[in-house]
């Protein structure tokens, strides 16, 4: 069985500051990892994904994440945030046994203040 | 444009009534999913289907039912047996197989009064 823990439920930051949203996972097998973003009353949009290979993954809107197998983490980072980055962010995991079914974390609300 | 369409966006129902949420996709995906989203709880899987005429229960299937008669459509019925149906419901689809990403609809917000 897999699980995902997003360590911060809310992250307030100022515009142009760097941000890190933390995600830890638990799984007994190799995993695939995803970050999704959700704007208010909208569906989820994929930001980036780690399947294999390079542990540093670059996504859309200037976001990147680093897969750390020893720490079972997949933290999301952006060097300089904009007001428009205000949204909820979800970390998700799957593996070769769960197929395309994803297990999601509880979400992190990122609020960018002027 | 290819995508997933959920309708309606907002839905109000009286307690004790069944209600059906629509989900249609034109991405030619075999797999479809229904998730429920509540504040602070992330997304929880209700039902999923990997092929037409077949579906499986997810983590919170009680009080819900689905059908998959067509590849493009995966409607969700919230029955009167669901004790706390007010929530945001998200439909998703993907190719089958591991390591595939899910594509999401815009969601339906159901309020039961």
């Amino acid at each position: 069985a897999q699980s995902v823990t997003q360590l911060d439920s809310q992250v307030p930051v100022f515009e142009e500051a760097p941000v890190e949203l933390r995600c830890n996972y638990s799984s007994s097998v190799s995993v695939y990892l995803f970050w999704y973003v959700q704007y208010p009353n909208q569906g989820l949009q994929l930001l980036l994904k780690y399947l294999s290979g390079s542990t540093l993954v670059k996504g859309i809107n200037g976001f990147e994440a680093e897969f750390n197998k020893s720490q079972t983490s997949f933290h999301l980072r952006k060097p300089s945030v904009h007001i428009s980055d205000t949204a909820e962010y979800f970390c998700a995991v799957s593996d070769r046994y769960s197929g395309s079914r994803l297990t999601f974390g509880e979400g992190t609300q990122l609020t960018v203040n002027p | 444009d290819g995508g997933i369409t959920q309708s309606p966006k907002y839905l109000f129902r009286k307690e004790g009534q069944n209600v059906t949420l629509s989900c249609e996709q034109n991405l030619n995906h075999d797999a479809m999913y229904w998730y429920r989203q509540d504040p602070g709880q992330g997304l929880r899987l209700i039902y999923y289907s990997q092929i037409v005429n077949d579906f499986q229960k997810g983590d919170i299937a009680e009080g819900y039912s689905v059908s998959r008669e067509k590849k493009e459509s995966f409607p969700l019925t919230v029955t009167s047996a669901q004790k706390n149906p007010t929530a945001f419901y998200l439909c998703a689809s993907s190719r089958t197989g591991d390591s595939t990403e899910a594509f999401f609809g815009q969601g339906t917000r159901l309020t039961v009064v």
Side-chain angles (χ1 to χ4, degrees), chain B residues 56-86:
Chain B
Q56 285 79 40
K57 294 181 179 180
D59 301 317
I60 55 165
E62 185 175 349
Y64 299 98
S65 66
V66 293
S67 64
R68 186 84 188 279
E69 297 176 2
K70 298 188 300 180
K71 186 175 184 178
E72 302 78 19
S73 179
F74 191 42
L76 173 74
T77 296
V78 184
T79 75
S80 56
Q82 168 51 231
K83 294 193 181 345
N84 186 16
T86 294

Side-chain angles (χ1 to χ4, degrees), chain B:
Chain B
D1 284 334
I4 301 175
T5 302
Q6 290 187 242
S7 60
K9 190 167 177 67
Y10 299 94
L11 191 53
F12 295 87
R13 277 296 182 269
K14 291 184 178 180
E15 195 171 336
Q17 289 182 332
N18 291 359
V19 60
T20 298
L21 282 59
S22 169
C23 178
E24 304 277 333
Q25 56 100 358
N26 59 6
L27 298 169
N28 200 31
H29 287 163
D30 286 310
M32 297 187 74
Y33 315 81
W34 275 105
Y35 290 90
R36 171 180 170 139
Q37 184 178 14
D38 296 282
Q41 296 193 47
L43 278 71
R44 293 180 290 167
L45 183 64
I46 304 172
Y47 268 98
Y48 64 101
S49 167
Q50 296 185 302
I51 196 169
V52 174
N53 291 323
D54 188 42
F55 47 83
Q56 285 79 40
K57 294 181 179 180
D59 301 317
I60 55 165
E62 185 175 349
Y64 299 98
S65 66
V66 293
S67 64
R68 186 84 188 279
E69 297 176 2
K70 298 188 300 180
K71 186 175 184 178
E72 302 78 19
S73 179
F74 191 42
L76 173 74
T77 296
V78 184
T79 75
S80 56
Q82 168 51 231
K83 294 193 181 345
N84 186 16
T86 294
F88 191 53
Y89 291 87
L90 286 160
C91 179
S93 72
S94 74
R95 292 178 288 113
T96 50
D98 57 20
S99 77
T100 60
E101 67 185 80
F103 293 80
F104 284 81
Q106 296 298 291
T108 293
R109 185 166 297 281
L110 173 64
T111 303
V112 176
V113 295

Side-chain angles (χ1 to χ4, degrees), chain A residues 32 34 36 38 41-46 49 51 88 90 94-107, chain B residues 9-10 31 33 35 37 40-43 45 48 50 88 90 94-102 104-106 109:
Chain A
Y32 310 113
F34 306 81
Y36 283 86
Q38 183 182 36
N41 291 311
Q42 299 290 316
L44 275 66
Q45 179 185 8
L46 182 70
K49 60 185 176 184
L51 304 181
E88 188 148 26
F90 291 95
S94 68
D95 61 39
R96 59 192 174 99
Y97 297 108
S98 62
S100 46
R101 285 178 290 129
L102 297 172
T103 298
F104 284 87
E106 300 89 351
Chain B
K9 190 167 177 67
Y10 299 94
Y33 315 81
Y35 290 90
Q37 184 178 14
Q41 296 193 47
L43 278 71
L45 183 64
Y48 64 101
Q50 296 185 302
F88 191 53
L90 286 160
S94 74
R95 292 178 288 113
T96 50
D98 57 20
S99 77
T100 60
E101 67 185 80
F104 284 81
Q106 296 298 291
R109 185 166 297 281

